[in-house]
Amino acid sequence: MAVTYCLSRPATALVAVLLLSFGSVAASHIEDQAEQLFRSGHTNNWAVLVCTSRFWFNYRHVANTLSVYRSVKRLGIPDSHIVLMLADDMACNPRNPKPATVFSHKNMELNVYGDDVEVDYRSYEVTVENFLRVLTGRIPPSTPRSKRLLSDDRSNILIYMTGHGGNGFLKFQDSEEITNIELADAFEQMWQKRRYNELLFIIDTCQGASMYERFYSPNIMALASSQVGEDSLSHQPDPAIGVHLMDRYTFYVLEFLEEINPASQTNMNDLFQVCPKSLCVSTPGHRTDLFQRDPKNVLITDFFGSVRKVEITTETINLQQGSEIMESSYKEDQMDEEPVEPLKYAEQLPVAQIIHQKPKLKDWHPPGGFILGLWALIIMVFFKTYGIKHMKFIF
Amino acid sequence: MAAAMPLALLVLLLLGPRGWCLAEPPRDSLREELVITPLPSGDVAATFQFRTRWDSELQREGVSHYRLFPKALGQLISKYSLRELHLSFTQGFWRTRYWGPPFLQAPSGAELWVWFQDTVTDVDKSWKELSNVLSGIFCASLNFIDSTNTVTPTASFKPLGLANDTDHYFLRYAVLPREVVCTENLTPWKKLLPCSSKAGLSVLLKADRLFHTSYHSQAVHIRPVCRNARCTSISWELRQTLSVVFDAFITGQGKKDWSLFRMFSRTLTEPCPLASESRVYVDITNYNQDNETLEVNPPPTTTYQDIILGTRKTYAIYDLLDTAMINNSRNLNIQLKWKRPPENGYIHYQPAQDRLQPHLLEMLIQLPANSVTKVSIQFERALLKWTEYTPDPNHGFYVSPSVLSALVPSVVAAKPVDWEESPLFNSLFPVSDGSNYFVRLYTEPLLVNLPTPDFSMPYNVICLTCTVVAVCYGSFYNLLTRTFHIEEPRTGGLAKRLANLIRRARGVPPL
């Protein structure tokens, strides 16, 4: 504003007009920013990434899940907020020519397994029951924290599933399946328990669109790699590893996500265009009727990233050293020493003691139901055969 | 309120990492070491050990300040009243026959054994909760440990730390052999180390090299130890061990030259600033053996000799805390080279060509003394053409015996002989120098049973087929093509029959 005083009058008027317009633009820009601050309405992000296929030839499903995991970690969601379920171990599989790696591009360009990976549910733990328990929160009390989905009603959750599927079901580990109705009911439970603010469901299987047909809870957006009746195809094999490395849909989603950074403003409409039929061979589908916001207002980082809104302060705080409390606690420990007898280490193989130890008596348990029932049956048969008159000789 | 805030900040600061540079001695210490052992088979074994010792009695004090000792494990010890915990994840098997005895072996898969304090009332409940918590910490499926795979050993697995009495009721042991160990188990294990993977020996822990090995075992051991020589109070010791065996052919491409860079694709740059001791030991027991010398580069400044596992061993020590060790380029790459005398082996192999020439294998080998050398060849049996079989194929086919021509060192040196003067039996083979004598030995011939077809089979098949065809097809053919006529029974005596015969011969209707 100080600039205006130095100029002549017509220039002043011109500059004033310009500044006014800039001011209004700036004000509306601030309004936009304020609106965006409150637009999405979520305060934390969670991700549940599931690979449901076992066996070496399903390498590509593990690579799919790990590439989404990698993107989600890169954009800011920490491991404590990611539940990663991998149904088989590909990286340290004896058939993997390069152990501890899972590649997504051929010629081993990109190792999506990395050096800092935490798999929460692995191998036999990836079952339909565990998946539904994670979603609904009905988990046994001894489950560790890293295996829980501790979301609340301001959480945006990304759920990504991949594997082999069909019309209305998804196969888990070649032994069981989850139907689209079960999944829809699980999401309804989550809604009723206020376990999510908004949910993005992505599925990359054959006939994936059938899995989101039955959703009926609000605030769910769903994407699938193929329509009902179509198969999702895999992308490219690697001759050194010998299997297909990725599925087409997730490969192009990964390429799309590699260009996103935590500050990007790309919205969901771009994600819907990611894999056209010419590249994917199948037709990706999406469902937004349950979602309240317009997809063009939904940022990719609302689900894939964990953008924290921080306030930067410029005050300084002076910290001082204080040694009194530290020393007193140490002295207290020293004064605590009493003269006790010296402790000793146990003998690792005390032969004489082992030979002469007595076996412990087993605790007596009362006879179980089967034994009691058997005896009751025998006694009943005896009395029915020989008549009730014998009872008086017993009692 | 304003006064409380600076006080709160003060307390926060005291519990922060600035505390260790104050006057009083630290109450926990870290020692790290790496032992590199060249194995007799040409492979090399590397064993990392990170030991954090914490001079504190967790049971008595309520602890809230954790420095080097990881908080995740410290809280486990207090919450579940543990006396000892031993958890290991292993992939592969330690081949004692080829590699010698191990320092510490672990079973394939996951193994967990725990001693609880005698104040625990429900040991099984604590055991189940502990295995669940550990499965979350180490990203492993330890939650599958339940009563079906838990045992209470009564005689072995005595406590490895301080123990006054050993009531085996407080011991639980479980193994999960199906458990896979991969990077997701290594990552939390590395995060328990005070220097993580940023400085010291832990920079060498890169997953893509550590899992490309014949044997990989990582373990966590927690136990109480004596704090000082009088042993009146206890300290808690956390040992994290990692043993790997690098295969000479997979990672070494067959050469027996090893270096830290070759094994781990990293070199050591600086010691961990939180460690009180950071050393690399290299086993140089075979340093001065006759024909093979092991050369270690850079040359060690000190060596350490002791009886380890029953034999006397010598170790070269590289101390990372010694400033002279890490040279100007700020990296330490220890190299081991086997210096062999020039190769005087010879192998000639000519594979067979069917019906043209046989296999020929000639090898010149130097046999070490007091040893057994076995040479074996694999072969496959093929089917010959049926005309090539001898009339008695079930006897088998003979493989010619092998020939062993050897120069055997003499116990007593012989003088070169004059052929005309000496007896005939002494002049069969010419002798050039008396220190060894020539001998040619033969093995037994080999009788091989080749797969023999059943030569009577064509005849059997023809008979059977013709019978079947004749009986079945013939019957059907007759049924379909024959017509049936009713014939009246013949009456009359012999004369009438004779007359009818003659009439039939003439072509006249019968009587």
Side-chain angles (χ1 to χ4, degrees):
Chain A
M1 294 304 286
V3 182
T4 52
Y5 293 115
C6 308
L7 300 177
S8 60
R9 196 161 301 182
T12 317
L14 180 64
V15 171
V17 166
L18 275 170
L19 272 169
L20 263 171
S21 62
F22 277 140
S24 63
V25 165
S28 68
H29 186 57
I30 290 173
E31 265 174 25
D32 268 337
Q33 274 188 331
E35 190 194 327
Q36 201 167 36
L37 198 68
F38 300 107
R39 196 181 279 178
S40 52
H42 70 279
T43 57
N44 55 76
N45 284 82
W46 286 81
V48 178
L49 310 173
V50 184
C51 160
T52 59
S53 303
R54 180 167 273 277
F55 305 122
W56 174 246
F57 48 81
N58 290 321
Y59 183 102
R60 58 189 190 278
H61 295 140
V62 172
N64 289 350
T65 318
L66 284 172
S67 40
V68 177
Y69 172 76
R70 172 206 147 78
S71 311
V72 146
K73 262 182 88 156
R74 200 173 54 81
L75 293 172
I77 302 188
D79 269 316
S80 53
H81 281 230
I82 302 178
V83 177
L84 178 62
M85 305 172 83
L86 296 181
D88 201 357
D89 167 57
M90 297 302 165
C92 289
N93 195 310
R95 291 165 90 160
N96 193 346
K98 297 207 65 146
T101 57
V102 173
F103 293 107
S104 60
H105 289 61
K106 72 173 180 200
N107 299 325
M108 304 184 189
E109 281 167 20
L110 179 60
N111 174 16
V112 288
Y113 196 57
D115 217 9
D116 186 21
V117 58
E118 288 183 17
V119 180
D120 301 305
Y121 286 85
R122 59 183 196 153
S123 191
Y124 296 125
E125 292 172 298
V126 178
T127 56
V128 173
E129 182 189 340
N130 281 349
F131 175 61
L132 292 177
R133 282 187 186 278
V134 163
L135 286 185
T136 54
R138 294 154 77 163
I139 263 180
S142 53
T143 316
R145 229 185 133 91
S146 58
K147 289 186 170 174
R148 293 179 190 239
L149 179 66
L150 299 165
S151 56
D152 52 28
D153 64 325
R154 309 310 269 154
S155 307
N156 274 14
I157 307 184
L158 164 72
I159 298 185
Y160 175 83
M161 301 183 76
T162 182
H164 288 290
N167 190 354
F169 67 92
L170 170 62
K171 191 169 70 155
F172 265 70
Q173 292 215 40
D174 220 8
S175 67
E176 50 182 4
E177 60 269 340
I178 184 172
T179 56
N180 48 6
I181 302 175
E182 283 174 355
L183 196 57
D185 287 341
F187 287 161
E188 176 65 13
Q189 279 195 51
M190 286 174 79
W191 173 250
Q192 290 192 3
K193 289 162 92 161
R194 298 284 178 262
R195 279 171 70 79
Y196 69 89
N197 174 39
E198 284 170 348
L199 199 130
L200 176 64
F201 176 76
I202 306 183
I203 184 159
D204 187 350
T205 61
C206 302
Q207 308 194 49
S210 62
M211 289 304 283
Y212 63 60
E213 274 172 0
R214 301 285 192 137
F215 291 167
Y216 55 94
S217 319
N219 285 352
I220 300 186
M221 188 180 335
L223 282 100
S225 59
S226 56
Q227 302 292 334
V228 175
E230 286 180 348
D231 286 338
S232 290
L233 301 177
S234 56
H235 185 64
Q236 49 183 338
D238 181 297
I241 300 180
V243 283
H244 285 263
L245 295 181
M246 285 271 273
D247 279 334
R248 283 176 190 250
Y249 181 69
T250 312
F251 181 81
Y252 291 108
V253 166
L254 172 67
E255 284 200 345
F256 171 77
L257 288 174
E258 286 287 301
E259 277 147 43
I260 309 278
N261 56 46
S264 68
Q265 301 290 311
T266 334
N267 56 36
M268 277 297 169
N269 276 339
D270 302 324
L271 188 59
F272 294 157
Q273 313 300 327
V274 148
C275 199
K277 197 173 160 81
S278 54
L279 288 174
C280 256
V281 185
S282 57
T283 321
H286 56 265
R287 180 176 175 181
T288 53
D289 57 311
L290 295 166
F291 205 74
Q292 280 169 8
R293 293 192 283 150
D294 193 347
K296 75 171 192 300
N297 290 334
V298 180
L299 300 177
I300 299 281
T301 50
D302 279 351
F303 289 102
F304 285 88
S306 179
V307 183
R308 303 262 180 231
K309 302 185 176 29
V310 294
E311 251 186 52
I312 301 181
T313 171
T314 50
E315 297 172 13
T316 53
I317 302 172
N318 281 321
L319 302 172
Q320 287 168 15
Q321 285 187 19
S323 55
E324 305 90 22
I325 300 177
M326 192 69 136
E327 271 179 24
S328 62
S329 71
Y330 182 60
K331 281 204 192 82
E332 186 188 307
D333 185 56
Q334 278 202 329
M335 287 189 305
D336 218 0
E337 257 182 59
E338 310 139 6
V340 292
E341 62 206 41
L343 308 154
K344 55 183 174 14
Y345 291 101
E347 206 183 311
Q348 288 299 300
L349 203 62
V351 178
Q353 187 193 348
I354 291 172
I355 290 175
H356 293 112
Q357 74 186 2
K358 292 191 187 34
K360 281 182 46 138
L361 292 162
K362 277 178 61 113
D363 295 335
W364 180 80
H365 296 282
F370 176 70
I371 303 289
L372 280 175
L374 193 65
W375 277 110
L377 189 68
I378 292 170
I379 291 173
M380 205 178 64
V381 166
F382 171 78
F383 281 116
K384 278 194 85 78
T385 324
Y386 296 106
I388 208 78
K389 61 182 186 293
H390 290 275
M391 283 275 274
K392 66 171 184 288
F393 292 113
I394 313 263
F395 293 110
Chain B
M1 188 57 190
M5 237 212 2
L7 182 64
L9 284 168
L10 266 174
V11 172
L12 268 168
L13 169 65
L14 290 171
L15 300 180
R18 302 261 308 269
W20 66 275
C21 59
L22 294 178
E24 93 287 354
R27 297 174 65 187
D28 46 11
S29 62
L30 169 71
R31 279 175 60 178
E32 48 180 33
E33 84 176 16
L34 163 63
V35 181
I36 299 181
T37 317
L39 298 168
S41 59
D43 310 322
V44 68
T47 309
F48 290 85
Q49 278 207 46
F50 299 91
R51 193 199 84 157
T52 307
R53 203 185 87 164
W54 193 17
D55 299 331
S56 149
E57 302 209 31
L58 278 170
Q59 313 309 122
R60 288 200 297 179
E61 315 171 350
V63 179
S64 56
H65 175 202
Y66 291 90
R67 195 173 74 101
L68 296 180
F69 202 94
K71 179 172 167 190
L73 298 180
Q75 286 183 326
L76 270 186
I77 299 176
S78 358
K79 179 157 185 222
Y80 295 106
S81 306
L82 299 180
R83 192 158 71 178
E84 281 193 24
L85 181 134
H86 302 272
L87 170 63
S88 69
F89 296 100
T90 312
Q91 162 213 319
F93 183 68
W94 181 276
R95 303 188 180 278
T96 312
R97 196 143 56 108
Y98 300 116
W99 297 342
F103 288 122
L104 186 69
Q105 196 182 357
S108 205
E111 183 200 43
L112 173 67
W113 59 281
V114 172
W115 274 93
F116 290 90
Q117 301 275 354
D118 40 11
T119 52
V120 173
T121 45
D122 191 348
V123 179
D124 290 317
K125 181 160 159 301
S126 300
W127 169 250
K128 186 89 182 88
E129 286 178 17
L130 176 67
S131 42
N132 275 316
V133 169
L134 286 171
S135 88
I137 295 177
F138 289 99
C139 290
S141 314
L142 297 176
N143 48 322
F144 285 138
I145 291 178
D146 55 10
S147 62
T148 58
N149 47 26
T150 306
V151 290
T152 305
T154 55
S156 63
F157 288 101
K158 299 270 181 213
L160 290 174
L162 291 171
N164 274 340
D165 62 338
T166 57
D167 183 2
H168 280 255
Y169 174 67
F170 295 101
L171 166 66
R172 292 289 183 273
Y173 175 90
V175 170
L176 293 173
R178 184 72 167 96
E179 198 60 26
V180 172
V181 55
C182 205
T183 312
E184 64 249 22
N185 306 112
L186 185 66
T187 307
W189 189 94
K190 278 198 290 190
K191 288 184 181 166
L192 295 174
L193 297 172
C195 275
S196 188
S197 45
K198 309 277 191 300
L201 293 176
S202 39
V203 296
L204 298 176
L205 300 174
K206 288 296 158 195
D208 54 342
R209 306 299 298 168
L210 288 179
F211 288 103
H212 206 55
T213 51
S214 320
Y215 176 79
H216 172 109
S217 174
Q218 65 194 51
V220 170
H221 301 281
I222 302 178
R223 58 177 181 169
V225 291
C226 293
R227 195 182 294 194
N228 45 28
R230 284 176 304 147
C231 210
T232 46
S233 48
I234 66 170
S235 302
W236 284 93
E237 179 194 76
L238 163 69
R239 273 195 202 223
Q240 289 177 256
T241 63
L242 193 140
S243 302
V244 286
V245 173
F246 291 98
D247 195 297
F249 282 99
I250 294 175
T251 33
Q253 279 102 42
K255 298 195 278 273
K256 277 158 71 167
D257 301 333
W258 292 105
S259 69
L260 284 183
F261 188 76
R262 196 97 172 282
M263 292 192 272
F264 303 105
S265 69
R266 294 281 182 291
T267 55
L268 293 167
T269 49
E270 53 172 347
C272 175
L274 300 169
S276 59
E277 195 183 292
S278 182
R279 294 213 182 131
V280 179
Y281 292 85
V282 180
D283 185 348
I284 51 171
T285 316
N286 298 321
Y287 191 44
N288 281 321
Q289 230 173 28
D290 299 330
N291 288 326
E292 301 195 70
T293 51
L294 174 67
E295 184 193 292
V296 185
N297 190 21
T301 45
T302 42
T303 55
Y304 167 71
Q305 264 210 2
D306 205 352
I307 310 250
I308 311 279
L309 293 170
T311 51
R312 176 166 288 279
K313 296 224 174 128
T314 314
Y315 291 90
I317 303 179
Y318 295 88
D319 196 342
L320 288 180
L321 292 172
D322 184 5
T323 43
M325 187 57 57
I326 299 198
N327 58 14
N328 296 336
S329 62
R330 294 200 56 79
N331 80 7
L332 173 65
N333 185 17
I334 300 172
Q335 285 160 325
L336 306 168
K337 268 203 252 295
W338 291 91
K339 281 201 302 203
R340 259 188 301 261
E343 285 281 330
N344 55 357
Y346 168 78
I347 290 189
H348 173 237
Y349 177 64
Q350 189 184 49
Q353 281 177 305
D354 279 350
R355 301 174 184 89
L356 275 184
Q357 65 186 20
H359 289 285
L360 171 66
L361 173 64
E362 286 185 89
M363 292 191 300
L364 178 66
I365 334 170
Q366 214 169 29
L367 300 175
N370 292 329
S371 64
V372 174
T373 305
K374 284 192 193 166
V375 177
S376 59
I377 301 180
Q378 279 184 323
F379 60 89
E380 278 180 10
R381 292 181 252 216
L383 211 53
L384 296 178
K385 295 185 186 169
W386 75 304
T387 45
E388 292 170 349
Y389 283 95
T390 54
D392 57 346
N394 292 303
H395 181 79
F397 287 82
Y398 283 94
V399 176
S400 49
S402 318
V403 186
L404 185 67
S405 315
L407 269 179
V408 185
S410 304
V411 174
V412 180
K415 295 185 293 298
V417 289
D418 182 12
W419 279 33
E420 296 307 316
E421 298 298 324
S422 57
L424 295 174
F425 61 77
N426 203 10
S427 53
L428 284 167
F429 294 108
V431 163
S432 53
D433 75 288
S435 62
N436 39 25
Y437 60 93
F438 181 77
V439 65
R440 184 170 281 149
L441 305 169
Y442 292 86
T443 65
E444 292 172 4
L446 185 63
L447 186 59
V448 176
N449 229 347
L450 283 185
T452 311
D454 182 3
F455 291 104
S456 62
M457 209 184 66
Y459 169 74
N460 294 339
V461 169
I462 292 171
C463 281
L464 185 66
T465 317
C466 290
T467 310
V468 166
V469 166
V471 168
C472 298
Y473 178 67
S475 316
F476 270 114
Y477 181 77
N478 288 333
L479 273 173
L480 292 173
T481 53
R482 284 224 185 124
T483 55
F484 293 92
H485 304 277
I486 301 177
E487 217 178 76
E488 284 170 19
R490 267 183 245 166
T491 53
L494 182 62
K496 195 170 177 193
R497 263 188 266 152
L498 271 173
N500 277 336
L501 264 172
I502 298 168
R503 288 175 81 100
R504 219 180 321 147
R506 283 169 55 202
V508 170
L511 293 166

